[in-house]
Amino acid sequence: MSRLPLTLTIALSVLALAWFVSLRQSALFLVGVGMGGILAGARFGFTTGWRRLIEQRDASGVVAQLGLLAVAAAISMPLLAYFPNDLMAALGPPSVSLLIGAFVFGAAMQIADGCGSGTLYKAGMGIPLNMAILPMFVIGSFLGSAHLDRWLSLGATPPVGLVNEVGPLGAFGLTLVGLVVIGGLALAWSRGGNQDTPRWLDRRLLIAGAGLALLAVLNLLLAGQPWGVVYGFGLWGAKIATTAGLFDPTANAFWSQPGNFNALGQTVFLDVTTITNLGILAGALWISARKTLSPAPLTGRQWVIGLLAGFLLGYSSRLAFGCNVGAMVSGISTGSLHGWIWVALAFCGSLIGVRMRRRFGF
């Protein structure tokens, strides 16, 4: 398939956004295209990287993710400190909601073979299961947002931002120590396998991780907030439910908040998360134009389980205040304590999810 029609469509979309919406949204769309191109081109999968470490003792994917976090944090934390009125961190409250949501998300993403960004780029590449999971992700994310106040009532503490608590240098130092510890554990695990040479370094993934980090920082500068995925999904679901008369946002604790309520009344093209999500889809589609994909056929049982996992991805990611992007990448790189909690619980969930994935024959 020729890439020329896709290139022209993307170019026209950029121009249309610049003319009818804003230059910022046009630029954010291009950032999303770059993200989708890197994710699809390098097959940079957060879910896959964790699964390869667990099953094959291959630490290369996790090491690349740690590199992404280090680069993003090194640039984002000083920016947040110097421009506190213009940029915001991806802060989430440590809570029962976070613990349960992160664990469930970690398990579900292994069954669905994709987190938020993974579902997007694989759907853009035309992988049938991920294309079907995407609307289930939207429904789950919307319902999770609608129920969030009930989950937070089970117990929550105020968000903790390391940049505010110890300054940008202290925050980056603590973050670097945490990344080194995780890297050491991953390398130790990789050396426990049967392979003669432990797998821990993949140059292609390292370069892709660095590229994603720079684009995440650019997203922060343009949008004024860190890279996110799942909020856009919840917004899509809320707008559909509201338009259909099935949902009253004024009666809901989450969607009656001024920022969320205003987003419901505006075109989705003004939402920064939606724009980058659409860009990721477009970038992945552009990459897939030169690739022939032949995913293994699924049984009816696998389809049902996969779709259920997609719904749980959406619901749990809202409870956990993000996915691998919003909670892990953006949370940790901007100094949020909840990002570290998310990683610990999501990895524990992935240990279960990998077993369930094998059990159901994926």
Side-chain angles (χ1 to χ4, degrees), residues 50 63 124 194 229 259 304 337-338:
W50 289 21
V63 169
N194 297 322
V229 173
V304 171
L337 176 62
H338 98 286

Side-chain angles (χ1 to χ4, degrees), residues 52-197:
R52 286 179 176 170
L53 176 64
I54 295 168
E55 290 190 314
Q56 304 172 23
R57 297 183 183 268
D58 179 355
S60 59
V62 170
V63 169
Q65 293 174 35
L66 297 176
L68 186 166
L69 289 167
V71 173
I75 305 174
S76 298
M77 289 178 174
L79 288 173
L80 288 167
Y82 295 132
F83 302 100
N85 297 323
D86 301 309
L87 306 177
M88 67 174 65
L91 301 180
S95 57
V96 174
S97 169
L98 169 61
L99 299 179
I100 295 175
F103 182 86
V104 172
F105 188 91
M109 76 178 187
Q110 294 298 341
I111 299 171
D113 195 27
C115 55
S117 59
T119 297
L120 271 177
Y121 92 74
K122 289 177 181 178
M125 294 184 76
I127 297 177
L129 178 61
N130 299 98
M131 293 175 68
I133 281 175
L134 184 54
M136 298 300 295
F137 207 134
V138 169
I139 295 171
S141 184
F142 162 60
L143 291 178
S145 66
H147 298 161
L148 184 58
D149 60 317
R150 304 175 198 176
W151 285 96
L152 289 177
S153 68
L154 299 176
T157 61
V160 177
L162 296 180
V163 175
N164 291 331
E165 295 293 331
V166 298
L169 289 180
F172 181 67
L174 290 173
T175 299
L176 203 57
V177 169
L179 296 178
V180 169
V181 169
I182 293 177
L185 293 173
L187 293 179
W189 177 261
S190 71
R191 286 195 291 269
N194 297 322
Q195 64 270 20
D196 296 330
T197 304

Side-chain angles (χ1 to χ4, degrees), residues 9-361:
T9 301
I10 291 173
L12 289 174
S13 298
V14 170
L15 293 174
L17 285 169
W19 183 265
F20 293 107
V21 186
S22 71
L23 287 173
R24 184 189 72 162
Q25 298 301 89
S26 178
L28 281 171
F29 178 73
L30 277 176
V31 168
V33 171
M35 290 171 170
I38 291 175
L39 288 167
R43 298 307 293 266
F44 191 99
F46 295 101
T47 301
T48 306
W50 289 21
R51 187 165 67 245
R52 286 179 176 170
L53 176 64
I54 295 168
E55 290 190 314
Q56 304 172 23
R57 297 183 183 268
D58 179 355
S60 59
V62 170
V63 169
Q65 293 174 35
L66 297 176
L68 186 166
L69 289 167
V71 173
I75 305 174
S76 298
M77 289 178 174
L79 288 173
L80 288 167
Y82 295 132
F83 302 100
N85 297 323
D86 301 309
L87 306 177
M88 67 174 65
L91 301 180
S95 57
V96 174
S97 169
L98 169 61
L99 299 179
I100 295 175
F103 182 86
V104 172
F105 188 91
M109 76 178 187
Q110 294 298 341
I111 299 171
D113 195 27
C115 55
S117 59
T119 297
L120 271 177
Y121 92 74
K122 289 177 181 178
M125 294 184 76
I127 297 177
L129 178 61
N130 299 98
M131 293 175 68
I133 281 175
L134 184 54
M136 298 300 295
F137 207 134
V138 169
I139 295 171
S141 184
F142 162 60
L143 291 178
S145 66
H147 298 161
L148 184 58
D149 60 317
R150 304 175 198 176
W151 285 96
L152 289 177
S153 68
L154 299 176
T157 61
V160 177
L162 296 180
V163 175
N164 291 331
E165 295 293 331
V166 298
L169 289 180
F172 181 67
L174 290 173
T175 299
L176 203 57
V177 169
L179 296 178
V180 169
V181 169
I182 293 177
L185 293 173
L187 293 179
W189 177 261
S190 71
R191 286 195 291 269
N194 297 322
Q195 64 270 20
D196 296 330
T197 304
R199 289 170 290 178
W200 63 275
L201 188 62
D202 186 316
R203 182 180 178 185
R204 173 179 57 90
L205 291 177
L206 283 173
I207 294 173
L212 286 172
L214 295 176
L215 289 172
V217 172
L218 187 56
N219 182 96
L220 174 65
L221 290 171
L222 289 169
Q225 65 184 50
W227 179 21
V229 173
V230 299
Y231 180 82
F233 294 164
L235 178 61
W236 301 350
K239 287 182 76 70
I240 293 171
T242 302
T243 301
L246 302 175
F247 178 66
D248 178 11
T250 62
N252 183 261
F254 183 86
W255 290 106
S256 63
Q257 294 175 15
N260 298 329
F261 189 79
N262 290 338
L264 278 176
Q266 298 173 337
T267 170
V268 292
F269 295 116
L270 286 172
D271 175 51
V272 294
T273 308
T274 291
I275 286 298
T276 51
N277 283 351
L278 294 176
I280 290 172
L281 285 169
L285 180 61
W286 189 84
I287 289 294
S288 70
R290 292 287 181 87
K291 292 179 178 289
T292 301
L293 301 175
S294 300
L298 302 177
T299 65
R301 182 190 186 198
Q302 288 173 325
W303 273 106
V304 171
I305 293 169
L307 293 176
L308 176 60
F311 173 82
L312 290 175
L313 283 176
Y315 195 90
S316 62
S317 63
R318 188 64 277 164
L319 303 190
F321 302 94
C323 59
N324 298 66
V325 169
M328 184 180 78
V329 173
S330 293
I332 290 177
S333 69
T334 60
S336 178
L337 176 62
H338 98 286
W340 293 100
I341 299 172
W342 187 95
V343 168
L345 270 295
F347 189 79
C348 290
S350 282
L351 293 173
I352 304 299
V354 166
R355 289 178 175 270
M356 295 175 67
R357 181 179 175 82
R358 288 201 301 264
R359 171 69 177 81
F360 295 123

